Amino acid sequence: MNSSKLCWPPAVTVDTVVFTIEDGKLKVLLIKRDKNPFVGSWSLPGGFLMKNETSEKAALRILKEKTGVKNVYFEQLYTFDSLSRDPRGHVLTVSYFALIDRNKIQLRTGAFHNANALPSLAFDHKKIIAYALKRLGYKLEYTNLVFSLLPEKFTFGQLQNAYQIILGKKLDKRNFRKKFMALNLIKSVKAKAIDTGHRPAQFYAFISRKPLELKRFF
C-alpha cells in the first residue's frame, strides 16, 4: 500500500446540536454562515479544530465564541466522515449534542428553530440533527437527562410535556406519574404561588442534577 496515502490528513471540524424547549416545541440552535461555502445558509454552530486542542474543548470554545452559550449538558454524538459532506474537500466532523433550559440562555448570535421543521441547512447538518434527535429520544428512556431542559423548579405537567415533545407522542398522565415517581428522582418543593384563581400548582425539583443511568421505564 502506498504510504503517502496513509499520511494524508483530512481536516477536522466540530459541530454541536443544542436542544432546548421553547413555546411547547423542541428547538435547535442554528447560526447563519458568514463565509463560503454556503454563505448566508443556516448551520449548526461549528468550526475547525485548532492545534493541540481536543474536539470537546473545541466544541465548547466555538459554541461560546459564536453564540454565547456555555455551561450546558454536553456529550459526544458521532463522527460524520462522508467524502462528499464538504465541497472544500475531505473534512470530517466530530459532532456533539447539548441540552439547556431556554431561560438560562442569552444568545449573542443565532436563533432557535423547530427541530421538526428545519430550514435548508449547510453541509450534512440536517442529517446530524436527525441523528441527535434519535439519540435524545433514546437517552430519555434510560437516563435523567430531561433535567437539563427544565428549570430548577417545575410542575409535573412541565416534566411530562418535555417527554411528550421529545418522544413525539401523548403519554397517559396517571401511568407516567406512577412510573416516574417510582424512580425517586424528584422531590416536591415550595415555590411562589401565582394567583390564578385555581389551586396553586405543586412544584418539584430534581434531587440530583447530575447525569444518571436508570432502569428503562417506557
Side-chain angles (χ1 to χ4, degrees), residues 5-218:
K5 290 185 178 180
L6 291 175
C7 296
W8 174 250
V12 180
T13 61
V14 291
D15 290 295
T16 303
V17 185
V18 182
F19 288 119
T20 195
I21 292 177
E22 182 182 43
D23 301 327
K25 295 180 175 66
L26 182 66
K27 294 190 175 182
V28 63
L29 178 58
L30 301 175
I31 60 174
K32 277 211 169 177
R33 288 184 57 79
D34 58 3
K35 59 184 69 173
N36 281 316
F38 304 107
V39 63
S41 296
W42 290 103
S43 70
L44 293 169
F48 284 94
L49 195 69
M50 296 177 67
K51 186 177 180 180
N52 299 324
E53 184 178 44
T54 66
S55 61
E56 181 174 335
K57 286 185 177 180
L60 291 170
R61 169 183 60 81
I62 291 164
L63 195 57
K64 182 179 178 181
E65 289 177 354
K66 291 193 173 183
T67 69
V69 171
K70 56 184 179 179
N71 300 324
V72 297
Y73 173 80
F74 190 80
E75 72 173 62
Q76 190 172 132
L77 180 65
Y78 192 74
T79 297
F80 292 83
D81 63 352
S82 169
L83 296 177
S84 61
R85 63 173 304 276
D86 192 315
R88 293 169 293 190
H90 189 190
V91 180
L92 63 84
T93 191
V94 181
S95 62
Y96 287 81
F97 82 91
L99 308 175
I100 195 166
D101 171 15
R102 183 65 181 91
N103 297 318
K104 293 182 178 179
I105 306 173
Q106 289 187 335
L107 290 179
R108 185 160 57 239
T109 57
F112 279 99
H113 292 251
N114 187 339
N116 295 301
L118 294 168
S120 178
L121 299 179
F123 306 105
D124 55 353
H125 289 185
K126 187 164 285 190
K127 179 180 179 180
I128 295 174
I129 293 171
Y131 191 91
L133 278 168
K134 288 184 179 180
R135 171 74 71 84
L136 179 58
Y138 295 149
K139 282 283 185 177
L140 259 61
E141 294 182 357
Y142 66 92
T143 73
N144 64 338
L145 290 187
V146 70
F147 76 80
S148 300
L149 296 166
L150 294 169
E152 295 290 332
K153 297 178 181 180
F154 52 89
T155 66
F156 210 90
Q158 287 177 298
L159 174 66
Q160 181 173 336
N161 192 48
Y163 275 87
Q164 292 179 155
I165 289 168
I166 295 168
L167 298 176
K169 62 182 179 181
K170 188 77 172 177
L171 300 172
D172 179 76
K173 184 176 180 179
R174 183 176 296 179
N175 191 43
F176 177 80
R177 176 182 285 271
K178 180 181 178 181
K179 287 185 175 182
F180 198 90
M181 293 304 289
L183 297 172
N184 295 317
L185 293 175
I186 60 176
K187 61 183 178 180
S188 60
V189 294
K190 291 182 179 180
K192 186 176 180 180
I194 300 175
D195 186 9
T196 61
H198 301 285
R199 181 181 176 182
Q202 174 65 61
F203 283 82
Y204 297 86
F206 277 88
I207 296 170
S208 172
R209 294 181 74 89
K210 295 180 180 180
L212 298 171
E213 285 198 10
L214 314 170
K215 180 180 178 181
R216 295 179 73 99
F217 67 101
F218 280 114

